[in-house]
Amino acid sequence: MATTMDKGATPQNPDKPLGLTVLGATGSIGLSTLDVVARHPERYRVIALTAYRDVEGMLRLCRAHQPQIAVLVDSDAAERLSQALRAEALAIEVLTGAEALVRVAGLDAVDYVMSAIVGAAGLAPSLEAARCGKRVLLANKEALVMSGALFMEQVRKHAALLLPIDSEHNAIFQCMPPGFITGESPAGVRRILLTASGGPFRNMPLDQFAQVTPEQACAHPNWDMGRKISVDSATMMNKGLEVIEACWLFGLPVDQVQVVLHPQSVIHSLVDYQDGSVLAQLGNPDMRTPIAHALAWPERIDSGVQPLDLFAVGRLDFSAPDPKRFPCLELAYAAWRQGGTAPAVLNAANEVAVQAFLEGKLSFDRIAPVIEASLAGCSIQAGDDLQQILDADQSARLVACEQIAIKPRRVML
Ligand code: NAD
Ligand code: MG
């Protein structure tokens, strides 16, 4: 059997820094990644940074990290970035368009790709990184939810190394038996316990859900994250997507993945072995820990995260999630059980509903019904080729927009 140590594109050569592309560099995960990377200039060299259209944010990152290439998907923003870089005499190539994301994920000079674009837009470049046999540091869970079978096939076929960044999955990976590779079924594991904070509305009376504002939904009690994943955490669709992500990464049936509410977010997840041992990974809720773990694996490097103070934490609580409060979690389990393109439909409908909520066009309590109606209104295909998955994504977006009575927007995949 191959082990993780045999896999390609993972040189740990201290004489030559490893080339890195950060997809979604201006976001929460992108910035945390660059914070860790900046602590280890002898190990990592930034080759390419990408973002959607944040010119100022990208300019700051270009000054600090001097990449060879900067991508802004929006062409007007890319033009403004070019001018600003010229004015500062910074010799950085600027590319634009969704195809540029794919290009910088597969460059020869790139050893590692941090996949931290939010949503389905991250699918094509993440797949390209796998196809090119890179070390893929996967934060973009939506890519795996949409196309898990295809994605894992590309990883295996091209000897890429897939390491999870999602804190729960990174924790589980750390608790897996020695030699475990993502995508294979681990020996001796009874179940995975996926922890969830329960988000900001864990105790809010259900009759107040209709009045929840985007600001309330984005104010996560423990984690500082982008807006989409913050809303997903509030509905617990985030945990639903993570259940699907866990099934792909750890090769286990869904019945062996159990969600546990743990409001302190100190235990990032657990693995329950057949002999009764339960291994957990703990730490402060700071994404720089899983990022540093995946960058340096199998070594360990400083991440800048404060040591965990268990006396300050004091106690750890656990409970079961209430399906009435978190219907999105049940929808995700149902989509996984249905299989084929159902998870892609779930993901796309959720993206549309969350965006509409953030723009004040849909109330918080309508997010789950829109997703449910989209799953019911789309025909589910086997999903074994990329086109079927992309078609499922597009038709789910149309159905979800009809449900909300808004005009569909084109998403470049
Ligand atoms: P964010 O909103 O802070 O950043 C998203 C990044 O993606 C930005 O750089 C943005 O410019 C870019 N982007 C957005 N739309 C794009 C498009 N259409 N094309 C190209 N680029 C685009 O998001 P985040 O919180 O950093 O999350 C990124 C991913 O990581 C998500 O998939 C999320 O689920 C996952 N994740 C995040 C956290 C966290 O703590 N933030 C934890 C676990 C997993
Ligand atoms: Mg997570």
Side-chain angles (χ1 to χ4, degrees):
M1 189 183 87
T3 72
T4 25
M5 304 300 286
D6 303 325
K7 299 206 118 195
T10 59
Q12 290 285 345
N13 176 356
D15 299 334
K16 186 177 169 287
L18 294 157
L20 175 71
T21 282
V22 183
L23 302 167
T26 56
S28 163
I29 294 287
L31 294 175
S32 293
T33 303
L34 291 167
D35 180 279
V36 175
V37 164
R39 293 165 194 271
H40 304 281
E42 72 299 345
R43 293 182 77 111
Y44 309 107
R45 162 153 174 53
V46 178
I47 304 289
L49 297 176
T50 85
Y52 188 64
R53 61 170 174 215
D54 177 358
V55 179
E56 276 310 310
M58 184 57 94
L59 188 57
R60 273 195 299 277
L61 295 181
C62 285
R63 286 187 199 118
H65 300 280
Q66 309 268 327
Q68 292 171 11
I69 301 174
V71 178
L72 287 180
V73 173
D74 181 85
S75 59
D76 292 342
E79 183 48 40
R80 278 185 282 133
L81 178 67
S82 286
Q83 285 169 11
L85 290 171
R86 269 200 303 278
E88 296 190 22
L90 285 169
I92 296 170
E93 188 182 354
V94 177
L95 301 177
T96 189
E99 58 293 342
L101 302 172
V102 173
R103 185 163 151 214
V104 297
L107 294 172
D108 285 346
V110 170
D111 302 293
Y112 293 6
V113 175
M114 167 55 77
S115 167
I117 291 174
V118 58
L123 175 61
S126 305
L127 269 176
E128 177 69 0
R131 206 185 58 75
C132 294
K134 308 295 186 194
R135 177 182 290 210
V136 186
L137 313 180
L138 189 74
N140 178 216
K141 65 192 90 186
E142 295 91 345
L144 201 57
V145 167
M146 290 173 74
S147 73
L150 263 176
F151 200 94
M152 298 312 292
E153 182 192 311
Q154 293 300 306
V155 166
R156 264 189 292 272
K157 190 162 154 199
H158 300 285
L161 176 63
L162 179 61
L163 293 178
I165 295 298
D166 220 339
S167 58
E168 297 77 3
H169 305 74
N170 183 273
I172 293 163
F173 182 80
Q174 294 196 44
C175 296
M176 280 292 173
F180 171 75
I181 350 185
T182 45
E184 301 218 335
S185 300
V189 168
R190 181 155 49 198
R191 59 188 176 146
I192 280 170
L193 300 167
L194 206 58
T195 53
S197 70
F201 309 135
R202 191 168 48 89
N203 297 318
M204 180 185 266
L206 291 181
D207 61 7
Q208 292 177 18
F209 272 32
Q211 283 82 48
V212 160
T213 64
E215 280 54 47
Q216 286 173 305
C218 290
H220 196 281
N222 307 339
W223 296 95
D224 181 13
M225 307 181 285
R227 284 167 77 76
K228 190 260 179 185
I229 185 177
S230 296
V231 177
D232 285 350
S233 299
T235 61
M236 274 189 87
M237 178 55 91
N238 182 50
K239 210 49 55 180
L241 299 177
E242 290 184 0
V243 167
I244 297 174
E245 186 185 10
C247 291
W248 287 119
L249 289 173
F250 305 116
L252 288 172
V254 77
D255 304 329
Q256 283 170 253
V257 181
Q258 187 181 347
V259 174
V260 178
L261 283 191
H262 165 48
Q264 291 89 359
S265 298
V266 166
I267 297 184
H268 298 309
S269 277
L270 313 90
V271 177
D272 178 5
Y273 283 89
Q274 279 161 1
D275 64 5
S277 301
V278 180
L279 302 191
Q281 187 260 0
L282 287 74
N284 285 318
D286 185 323
M287 289 306 292
R288 290 177 300 173
T289 294
I291 290 167
H293 169 267
L295 277 169
W297 185 90
E299 296 173 23
R300 297 274 180 177
I301 56 170
D302 173 40
S303 63
V305 175
Q306 289 302 308
L308 179 63
D309 180 350
L310 280 176
F311 300 126
V313 173
R315 57 183 276 184
L316 301 173
D317 295 306
F318 307 98
S319 59
D322 170 5
K324 276 214 260 343
R325 179 173 293 273
F326 299 115
C328 284
L329 186 56
E330 299 304 306
L331 289 173
Y333 272 101
W336 170 263
R337 290 198 172 97
Q338 195 174 357
T341 52
V345 169
L346 172 96
N347 178 65
N350 180 56
E351 284 189 26
V352 171
V354 170
Q355 185 65 29
F357 166 68
L358 286 171
E359 292 172 1
K361 296 173 184 159
L362 184 72
S363 63
F364 183 79
D365 63 332
R366 291 268 306 135
I367 293 176
V370 165
I371 300 165
E372 191 170 13
S374 305
L375 277 164
C378 289
S379 80
I380 303 303
Q381 308 296 317
D384 36 23
D385 75 61
L386 187 58
Q387 197 51 52
Q388 271 186 11
I389 292 165
L390 299 179
D391 290 347
D393 178 280
Q394 292 301 325
S395 38
R397 283 174 200 276
L398 288 178
V399 177
C401 286
E402 266 167 38
Q403 291 291 320
I404 309 169
I406 53 173
K407 261 180 51 197
R409 267 183 228 162
R410 188 158 163 61
V411 176
M412 297 290 291
L413 296 180

